[in-house]
């Protein structure tokens, strides 16, 4: 093929050219026509600077390549034109271009032009190149396919310099061109990494210029390791299913959050005697072994016009005495003060219950009768019978303990109504009158239902001899189911001077039997301080031996209207 007036660079895009290039491989410019224009155009000596390279359409370059291939096939079978010159002819004096030794030369077609100061001999000669020496083209090193331009979006490979931009992706509904493979759908789990062989983004969104994405033929970037991570599960969380046996056990097991805490055992009280040991359920100290006071071991009560104290004593394990005190108003508005004291018979069954039942029944009867205007003596008689019925009721349906009688007790009561004092009794519990004046004579107001009293009344024994006998406290009358016909004893008195009535059990009068001895135990301020008086008299019994339960009630006489309180 004859040599052309070769250009070193494409006048259209500035792409460096080879020796036997007929068309520019970038923009497709016809180099023969460009050379002819350069020879005939005076402006070729000073060509305009090449415009900014515009990326060519790859489809046009592909079409031009096919035409070039067809032209090469057509000319392969034709003989070479003998008239065609083997190479360009240079006029005399013109410098021969470097590397113009023939088609096998290694040079790239760069020429050394004649100095413009030395015009050629032929005046019709027109230079075919620039009037200066062109530098050899620079060969850029191939880019590292693993390197990524930081300005390039993540997941896209860098584009080689001068490479054509990728073709625009077909719009929805367009069929791909002939020879192109259809694009594969993008994996929704890899939003940043493109699918291999996927088409370029849409032309309207594809960037242009030197930072444009790679062409399809450019080396692809390494795959994004994040693309291999499986997507997170979208279904409900996995819940292991327990085995049937484990599930049954879990269902049967109670929820500890819904269970109430076990009740804590109440702290046991300490012994009132030694103060160290704890008291067990039976009422005994675990350290010293002594029985602890019960609810009835020591009882005190005081109203405005009466006071009473009961104590276990020093020899008994329970207090079998009981008392009630109260006050009410008579129909005329005057006060009525009441005291009832009962002593359980130790040889009977449940004597403590018997004394309590008798005292409550007698008080209830008195409080019901006196406000209705019943006389003090009649009300007292009826109260004793009510107490006897209450004690007898304790034995109904219950067998007595072996060797013991049915529940039984004694009773003594005192009622003050105005200027009248009424007493009633069954058994050996007593009532005493002690005047405030030291010179006035005290008196015992009751007679015992006992063996000693019968001996004295029959004249068989003196009182001292009878009381010295071991049968002295054996009672001959009592309240209980096995008692003979109950005939209450009642008596009314009209004291002519102030004083106090002492109502007590044998636990006190055993240490102050006669009226004179009892008067010596009663303090001088007893009428104004009934409760301290009762305490002092109980202390006297305990100090004297405390062999029995001790109960005493103190009623000032006459009752003070302002101090008497109803209960």
């Amino acid at each position: 093929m004859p040599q052309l007036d070769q250009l070193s660079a494409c006048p259209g895009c500035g792409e460096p050219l080879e020796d036997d290039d007929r068309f520019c491989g970038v923009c497709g410019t016809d180099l023969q026509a460009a050379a002819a224009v350069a020879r005939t155009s005076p402006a070729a000596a000073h060509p305009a600077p090449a415009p900014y390279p515009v990326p060519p359409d790859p489809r046009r370059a592909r079409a031009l390549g096919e035409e070039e291939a067809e032209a090469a096939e057509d000319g392969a079978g034709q003989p070479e034109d003998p008239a065609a010159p083997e190479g360009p002819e240079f006029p005399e004096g013109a410098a021969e271009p470097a590397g113009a030794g023939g088609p096998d030369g290694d040079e790239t077609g760069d020429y050394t032009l004649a100095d413009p100061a030395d015009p050629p001999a032929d005046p019709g000669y027109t230079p075919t190149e620039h009037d200066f020496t062109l530098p050899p083209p620079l060969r850029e090193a191939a880019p590292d396919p693993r390197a990524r331009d930081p300005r390039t979006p993540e997941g896209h490979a860098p584009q080689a310099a001068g490479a054509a931009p990728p073709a625009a992706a077909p719009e929805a509904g367009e069929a791909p061109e002939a020879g192109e493979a259809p694009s594969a759908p993008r994996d929704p789990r890899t939003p940043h990494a493109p699918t291999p062989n996927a088409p370029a983004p849409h032309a309207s969104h594809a960037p242009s210029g030197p930072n444009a994405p790679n062409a399809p033929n450019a080396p692809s970037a390494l795959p994004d390791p994040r693309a291999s991570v499986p997507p997170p599960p979208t279904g409900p969380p996995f819940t292991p299913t327990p085995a049937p046996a484990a599930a049954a056990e879990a269902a049967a097991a109670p929820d500890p959050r819904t269970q109430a805490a076990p009740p804590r055992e109440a702290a046991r009280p300490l012994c009132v005697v030694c103060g160290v040991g704890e008291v067990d359920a039976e009422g005994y100290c675990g350290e010293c072994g002594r029985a602890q006071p019960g609810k009835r071991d020591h009882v005190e009560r005081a109203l405005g016009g009466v006071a009473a104290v009961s104590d276990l004593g020093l020899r008994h394990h329970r207090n079998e005495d009981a008392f009630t005190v109260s006050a009410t108003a008579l129909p005329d508005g005057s006060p009525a003060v009441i005291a009832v004291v009962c002593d359980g018979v130790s040889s009977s069954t449940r004597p403590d219950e018997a004394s309590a039942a008798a005292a409550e029944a007698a008080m209830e009867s008195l409080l019901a009768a006196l406000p209705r205007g019943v006389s003090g003596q009649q009300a007292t008689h009826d109260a004793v019978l009510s107490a006897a019925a209450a004690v007898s009721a304790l034995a109904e349906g219950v067998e007595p303990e072996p060797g013991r009688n049915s529940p039984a007790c004694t009773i003594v009561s005192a009622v003050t109504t105005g200027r009248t004092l009424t007493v009633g009794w069954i058994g050996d519990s007593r009532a005493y009158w002690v005047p405030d004046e030291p010179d006035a004579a005290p008196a015992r107001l009751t007679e015992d239902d006992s063996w000693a009293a019968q001996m004295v009344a029959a004249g068989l024994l003196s009182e001292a001899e009878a009381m010295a006998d071991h049968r002295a406290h054996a009672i001959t009358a009592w309240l209980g189911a096995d008692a003979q016909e109950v005939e209450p004893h009642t008596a009314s008195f009209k004291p002519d001077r102030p004083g106090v009535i002492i109502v007590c059990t044998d636990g006190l009068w055993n240490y102050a039997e006669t009226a004179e001895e009892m008067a010596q135990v009663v303090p001088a301020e007893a009428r104004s301080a009934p409760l301290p008086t009762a305490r002092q008299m109980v202390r006297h019994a305990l100090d004297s031996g405390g062999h029995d339960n001790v109960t005493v009630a103190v009623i000032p006489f006459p009752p003070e209207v302002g101090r008497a309180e109803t209960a």
Side-chain angles (χ1 to χ4, degrees), residues 55-266:
D57 188 350
R59 292 176 290 184
R60 180 181 176 187
R62 184 164 53 253
L64 292 177
E66 293 175 359
E67 293 176 1
E68 202 174 76
E70 291 176 0
E73 292 177 2
D74 294 342
Q78 295 179 2
E80 187 175 352
D81 187 3
E86 295 181 359
E89 296 181 0
F90 301 95
E92 291 184 11
E96 184 178 0
D104 297 333
D106 298 332
E107 299 300 332
T108 60
D110 298 328
Y111 301 92
T112 304
L113 302 181
D115 189 350
D118 299 332
D122 189 357
Y125 172 76
T126 301
T128 61
E129 263 299 344
H130 305 283
D131 53 357
F132 54 87
T133 304
L134 295 176
L138 299 178
R139 297 183 179 274
E140 297 181 359
D144 187 359
R146 295 171 296 178
R148 182 176 65 84
D149 189 349
R151 297 170 295 177
T152 305
E154 184 178 354
H156 296 275
Q159 180 178 355
E171 295 290 344
E174 293 183 4
E177 297 183 6
E180 295 183 3
S183 59
R186 181 172 63 85
D187 189 349
R189 296 173 297 177
T190 57
H192 298 291
T195 307
N197 301 328
H202 195 275
S204 62
H205 302 285
S208 61
N211 295 331
N214 287 345
N217 296 330
S220 60
L222 294 176
D224 189 352
R226 294 172 294 180
S228 60
V229 178
T234 58
F238 172 72
T239 303
T241 303
E249 294 178 0
D255 188 353
R257 298 172 296 179
T258 59
Q259 287 183 332
R264 296 182 179 180
E265 183 179 357

Side-chain angles (χ1 to χ4, degrees), residues 375-404:
S375 65
Q377 192 166 358
Q378 182 62 44
T380 300
H381 181 274
D382 296 341
V384 173
L385 294 178
S386 296
V391 176
S392 299
L394 295 177
E396 295 178 0
V398 179
E399 292 293 333
E401 297 177 6
R404 290 179 176 269

Side-chain angles (χ1 to χ4, degrees), residues 3 28 69 93 152 156 181 194 207 254 273 289 336 359 368 383 453 473 475 500 516 522 531 542 544:
Q3 295 290 328
T152 305
H156 296 275
V273 179
H473 291 278
I475 58 177
V500 292
E516 291 74 16
V522 175
L531 182 59
L542 296 177
S544 301

Side-chain angles (χ1 to χ4, degrees), residues 204-414:
S204 62
H205 302 285
S208 61
N211 295 331
N214 287 345
N217 296 330
S220 60
L222 294 176
D224 189 352
R226 294 172 294 180
S228 60
V229 178
T234 58
F238 172 72
T239 303
T241 303
E249 294 178 0
D255 188 353
R257 298 172 296 179
T258 59
Q259 287 183 332
R264 296 182 179 180
E265 183 179 357
R268 293 183 176 180
L270 296 179
C271 177
V272 298
V273 179
C274 66
V276 178
E278 291 184 353
V279 179
D280 59 16
E282 296 180 358
Y284 291 88
C285 174
E287 187 70 21
C288 65
R290 296 188 180 182
Q292 301 301 300
K295 294 180 179 180
R296 293 174 57 179
D297 287 355
H298 186 88
V299 184
E300 297 182 358
R301 190 175 182 191
L303 297 176
V306 61
V309 176
S310 179
D311 192 83
L312 174 69
L314 303 179
R315 300 292 181 92
H316 287 255
H317 67 283
R318 65 184 175 187
N319 189 0
E320 298 173 355
D321 289 357
F323 72 87
T324 55
V325 293
S326 185
T328 186
L330 299 176
D332 60 359
S334 60
V337 181
I338 309 168
V340 179
V341 174
C342 298
D343 183 3
V345 178
S346 298
S347 60
S348 68
T349 301
R350 299 177 297 169
D352 54 332
E353 297 181 20
S355 62
E360 293 292 340
M363 178 61 68
E364 186 175 343
S365 176
L366 290 168
L367 291 176
L370 292 175
R372 294 187 290 107
V374 179
S375 65
Q377 192 166 358
Q378 182 62 44
T380 300
H381 181 274
D382 296 341
V384 173
L385 294 178
S386 296
V391 176
S392 299
L394 295 177
E396 295 178 0
V398 179
E399 292 293 333
E401 297 177 6
R404 290 179 176 269
N405 299 326
S406 298
C409 67
T410 65
I411 185 172
V412 60
S413 65

